Amino acid sequence: MASVEWKSSVVTAAGTDIHVTRGGNGPPLVVLHRDIGTLDHLPFYDSLAAHHEVIIPNHPGYGASPRPDWVANVRDIALVHRALLGQLGLNGATLLGLGFGGWIAAEMATCAPNAAEKLILVGPMGVKPPTGDILDQALISYIDYVREGFHDPAAFARNYGLTLTTEQLVQWDLCREMSFRVAWKPYMYNDSLPHLLRGVQAKTLIVHGASDRIVPASAAALYAERLPNARLETIANAGHLIEMEQADTLASLIAAFVAS
Amino acid sequence: MHLMYFTEQPMKDYPVEAGNDIGFTSLLMSNKHFDPVAGSRLYNEFLENYIYAEEMGVDGIMLNEHHNAPFCMQAKANVFASLLAGATKRVKIVLLGNPLPLSDNPVRLAEELAMIDMISKGRLVSGFVRGGGQEQLATNANPAYNRERFQEAHDLIVKTWTVPGPFRWEGKHFHQRVVNPWALPLQQPHPRIWIPGVISHETIVWAAQHGYPYIALNTSIEDTKRIWQRYDAAAAEVGYTPGPENRGYLIRCHVAETEEAALASARQFLWMDGEFTGRLKPVWASPSGYFSPSSRETFVNFIAGQSASPSRPRKTFEQQVADLQIIAGTPEQVVKSLRKIMTETRPGIMAFWGNDGRMSQKDAQTSIRLLGQEVMPALRVTAKELDLKCPFEADMPVSRAWANAQTAQAAE
């Protein structure tokens, strides 16, 4: 695979600075990252960039995007991203939401239910699981929370290394603080979302890791039931952090879905 | 000098082995291990001891609250404050304090506190705290808004006490159609507000800016001095010079007839695995957003299990005795150590955490008796020599805002 040239810039949307990384060529695909932020580089992103122009914004208050004090819920984040996409001329871009980012993507879709974009939700948070609960990160350390995200315990070190830097811990802490600000209570869901999903026309792929210990399978099933044009795929040997554990499988599923 | 008695209200009859099995003794330790029969007996013993402390001559009873843990049985400071309002006659009832961010309705707190002040005939000192990290989790208060909620709740309570209703409150975290409680404090303009703490610089500065006494919780002499430097600098910036009346100090102090007996009992201050708060996961003590952003790098390593607690460095019993953070002995020995603390740090308020852990009721009461009857009278003499006045003796204004309003009124 040819190496991808990634470029970062700061774009102001809804009055707040958003750090955006872009790379690759093809139809645009926006990646909405997780509640733990994102690593700067992932082989998965390179795979996507082989077929797409990939746009990875840091959510307001996450990663390199500063925290606007007024952002109080996930819908606020969704609308900042809507403003961002409008500004970048990316209104029809495919939205790929990972976990917490899946919730954001779903909120973005409900805000423009007739948009022509495609939607990919990977282990999405945002709905109250009909059975089970979304794992509460407030009760476990940053490291344990990420560990819970993998099917294979060895995947943690493969992605994050054997020793963690203070910088990584600070990043996780900043992300966690922002997640608390927007999703503390109820924890990681919006009661009105399952109702609003019924109105979303976007063609949607929902992906769930067979051994996801963070978001119960019932949440993905609820999304599949409520979204009128959705299909649910389950990936074996994957936990919640599918893009870091089964990157190729996920990338292939996405390529086939976008091409269809 | 104001001299108070304090106990954490330990749930000493919890099964230790249960904590050892799971590796922690807080937040998620199942309350199936809580024995209400023992709880009933212990609550009544605590009440008996508070009343006894008044009889033995203390000036105040200090109360606090914690949740979901055997180290402290008091889940609502206002409950014991209410009991003491009726059951005691003379002592100040010093709440250190109500954890404001845990409340979704500060007007109800203002109402309860006004009732306590009236029932006690004006003996309430209404301290406020942010609450510990795990209290946020135990009560589902968002740690990321902890300080904002603390400050806004404080502002709303003081306004409720001092501005005639009805008025409306549309804040960021609290919203009230009608603020107009038919219960107002007896003390005018409102009960004194004291602010306890350990490490948070922001809280020290905030207390100094408001002119509220700060109560250093069992810090080392050196750390206490650093707290006063910071407090004094913040006070100077808003135009006043603090004195001993702005300074309080809580010390673990157990007194017995012999040094051996005192030291043996004082070990109970570390009754929960070398700590008094018991074992807890660092992430519970410091949820994200709760601690100061300026300390983020220090705290994240603590939370990740890569360094010790930045707020309470772990020390052995012997070290703590040597550093005068635990004082134990005969009245004469204890007075000598306390004089050193008073001379070095010049507090106008002192709280004595007299007993803890599995200490017997008899030993607890012996300590209370010796503290009240022998130690405190000697300390009052020292306080006179050192000119250590408490807020009541110094007739200190209840707040800078109040002092400034009085000055402005006089100028008109």
Side-chain angles (χ1 to χ4, degrees):
Chain A
M1 194 184 297
S3 73
V4 181
E5 193 185 346
W6 294 97
K7 284 187 178 163
S8 292
S9 61
V10 175
V11 182
T12 305
T16 192
D17 286 348
I18 300 295
H19 183 270
V20 184
T21 303
R22 302 171 80 153
N25 290 297
L29 183 147
V30 177
V31 178
L32 298 154
H33 66 67
R34 297 184 173 280
D35 53 355
I36 54 170
T38 178
L39 290 167
D40 288 341
H41 298 288
L42 283 179
F44 173 69
Y45 293 158
D46 289 338
S47 301
L48 294 177
H51 307 285
H52 296 278
E53 184 196 4
V54 179
I55 302 102
I56 311 168
N58 281 164
H59 310 318
Y62 290 81
S65 294
R67 184 174 79 206
D69 279 345
W70 59 268
V71 168
N73 54 56
V74 170
R75 204 170 285 177
D76 289 348
I77 295 177
L79 290 172
V80 170
H81 284 322
R82 274 280 173 222
L84 175 78
L85 297 194
Q87 221 158 294
L88 296 175
L90 292 170
N91 274 328
T94 296
L95 302 181
L96 164 58
L98 304 170
F100 172 73
W103 178 7
I104 296 170
E107 295 279 2
M108 289 173 74
T110 63
C111 293
N114 301 313
E117 68 209 8
K118 284 182 175 169
L119 208 54
I120 303 155
L121 309 177
V122 179
M125 297 176 174
V127 297
K128 183 180 183 193
T131 52
D133 290 305
I134 295 170
L135 182 73
D136 183 7
Q137 63 182 301
L139 299 180
I140 56 178
S141 81
Y142 324 107
I143 300 171
D144 290 342
Y145 182 55
V146 176
R147 282 189 196 287
E148 286 296 315
F150 291 110
H151 162 79
D152 173 12
F156 181 93
R158 277 204 299 277
N159 284 278
Y160 290 98
L162 290 169
T163 51
L164 289 163
T165 61
T166 298
E167 192 188 353
Q168 176 64 69
L169 297 174
V170 164
Q171 272 306 315
W172 280 338
D173 186 64
L174 283 164
C175 290
R176 185 176 278 201
E177 179 172 351
M178 192 62 197
S179 296
F180 287 171
R181 290 174 80 92
V182 297
W184 174 261
K185 188 167 70 174
Y187 182 66
M188 287 296 183
Y189 64 88
N190 168 6
D191 267 329
S192 53
L193 186 58
H195 302 282
L196 292 166
L197 290 176
R198 293 186 195 274
V200 173
Q201 295 307 309
K203 201 175 163 195
T204 305
L205 171 67
I206 300 161
V207 184
H208 181 74
S211 34
D212 190 331
R213 298 191 301 277
I214 307 250
V215 180
S218 68
L222 180 60
Y223 268 102
E225 184 218 310
R226 294 300 167 95
L227 284 162
N229 297 307
R231 176 163 68 85
L232 173 62
E233 292 277 351
T234 299
I235 297 186
N237 300 320
H240 184 63
L241 306 173
I242 303 175
E243 78 284 9
M244 288 192 262
E245 196 166 24
Q246 297 293 349
D248 294 343
T249 311
L250 181 60
S252 306
L253 264 181
I254 290 170
F257 170 72
V258 176
S260 68
Chain B
M1 183 110 200
H2 184 81
L3 302 168
M4 311 186 279
Y5 166 71
F6 170 71
T7 171
E8 278 283 3
Q9 297 201 358
M11 200 323 159
K12 61 184 175 186
D13 289 349
Y14 86 98
V16 179
E17 62 283 1
N20 291 340
D21 289 347
I22 51 174
F24 50 83
T25 52
S26 61
L27 192 63
L28 299 187
M29 182 186 190
S30 172
N31 62 2
K32 73 183 178 193
H33 301 299
F34 183 88
D35 173 2
V37 175
S40 172
R41 175 175 50 78
L42 289 167
Y43 277 133
N44 283 286
E45 285 181 8
F46 300 141
L47 183 56
E48 192 186 323
N49 288 353
Y50 290 138
I51 294 168
Y52 186 60
E54 179 177 62
E55 287 169 16
M56 291 301 104
V58 307
D59 302 325
I61 306 286
M62 166 181 161
L63 301 169
N64 71 339
E65 74 174 59
H66 289 284
H67 301 263
N68 295 28
F71 83 88
C72 175
M73 276 177 65
Q74 178 149 237
K76 185 73 179 162
N78 288 0
V79 170
F80 261 88
S82 306
L83 291 172
L84 294 180
T88 60
K89 298 286 177 230
R90 178 184 53 79
V91 286
K92 302 287 184 194
I93 300 161
V94 182
L95 301 180
L96 295 179
N98 266 291
L100 297 183
L102 310 191
S103 170
D104 281 328
N105 191 337
V107 176
R108 289 298 301 271
L109 269 182
E111 233 172 358
E112 289 168 19
L113 292 164
M115 288 175 69
I116 294 165
D117 195 45
M118 287 185 286
I119 296 166
S120 68
K121 299 176 183 166
R123 291 184 286 128
L124 175 68
V125 174
S126 174
F128 297 131
V129 297
R130 297 197 296 134
Q134 54 177 338
E135 320 303 336
Q136 318 302 316
L137 299 167
T139 61
N140 217 13
N142 193 335
Y145 294 118
N146 175 274
R147 195 169 291 280
E148 286 182 12
R149 288 173 66 89
F150 174 83
Q151 294 180 358
E152 187 182 332
H154 161 271
D155 294 350
L156 175 51
I157 288 172
V158 171
K159 184 170 179 184
T160 302
W161 282 343
T162 55
V163 175
F167 63 85
R168 180 166 163 180
W169 185 273
E170 296 292 348
K172 178 169 177 187
H173 297 287
F174 305 106
H175 309 270
Q176 301 284 343
R177 289 205 141 62
V178 177
V179 181
N180 192 30
W182 268 68
L184 290 168
L186 178 63
Q187 296 180 83
Q188 291 297 313
H190 59 73
R192 291 183 181 278
I193 295 171
W194 298 354
I195 306 294
V198 180
I199 188 177
S200 165
H201 298 164
E202 285 87 345
T203 305
I204 297 163
V205 169
W206 184 88
Q209 286 168 342
H210 285 75
Y212 297 150
Y214 185 85
I215 317 298
L217 299 177
N218 216 164
T219 41
S220 69
I221 288 179
E222 288 315 307
D223 283 345
T224 310
K225 287 180 177 172
R226 275 191 279 274
I227 288 172
W228 301 143
Q229 280 169 6
R230 195 173 292 270
Y231 187 103
D232 291 354
E237 277 182 28
V238 295
Y240 74 101
T241 307
E245 66 273 18
N246 295 75
R247 301 173 170 191
Y249 186 64
L250 169 71
I251 178 78
R252 280 169 290 177
C253 178
H254 186 76
V255 199
E257 305 285 3
T258 68
E259 185 180 14
E260 295 70 32
L263 281 168
S265 287
R267 285 189 180 273
Q268 290 295 317
F269 284 125
L270 306 183
W271 70 299
M272 300 199 70
D273 194 44
E275 282 283 355
F276 70 88
T277 52
R279 276 172 288 173
L280 76 173
K281 297 193 175 176
V283 68
W284 302 343
S286 308
S288 296
Y290 170 79
F291 48 82
S292 166
S294 59
S295 313
R296 199 183 296 271
E297 291 197 0
T298 316
F299 272 98
V300 294
N301 280 299
F302 167 56
I303 293 162
Q306 298 184 169
S307 70
S309 166
S311 41
R312 281 195 189 274
R314 221 175 153 85
K315 292 181 181 178
T316 63
F317 176 74
E318 288 73 18
Q319 271 175 314
Q320 297 195 55
V321 169
D323 293 348
L324 298 185
Q325 283 178 286
I326 292 175
I327 292 174
T330 63
E332 199 177 307
Q333 291 170 322
V334 163
V335 166
K336 195 174 160 211
S337 299
L338 291 170
R339 276 194 178 132
K340 182 170 162 56
I341 291 175
M342 289 165 73
T343 309
E344 297 248 356
T345 64
R346 298 186 54 76
I349 302 159
M350 281 189 95
F352 299 93
W353 180 344
N355 53 283
D356 206 343
R358 295 200 172 73
M359 208 174 285
S360 72
Q361 175 71 343
K362 184 167 168 285
D363 285 350
Q365 292 200 343
T366 299
S367 182
I368 291 168
R369 172 172 58 81
L370 294 173
L371 268 172
Q373 299 271 289
E374 301 195 26
V375 174
M376 289 184 181
L379 298 183
R380 290 198 176 91
V381 173
T382 304
K384 275 223 159 51
E385 287 165 13
L386 297 172
D387 196 24
L388 302 178
K389 289 196 176 77
C390 73
F392 306 104
E393 294 163 315
D395 200 19
M396 176 186 174
V398 292
S399 69
R400 292 314 296 167
W402 181 253
N404 294 340
Q406 297 300 103
T407 310
Q409 209 173 3
E412 275 174 18

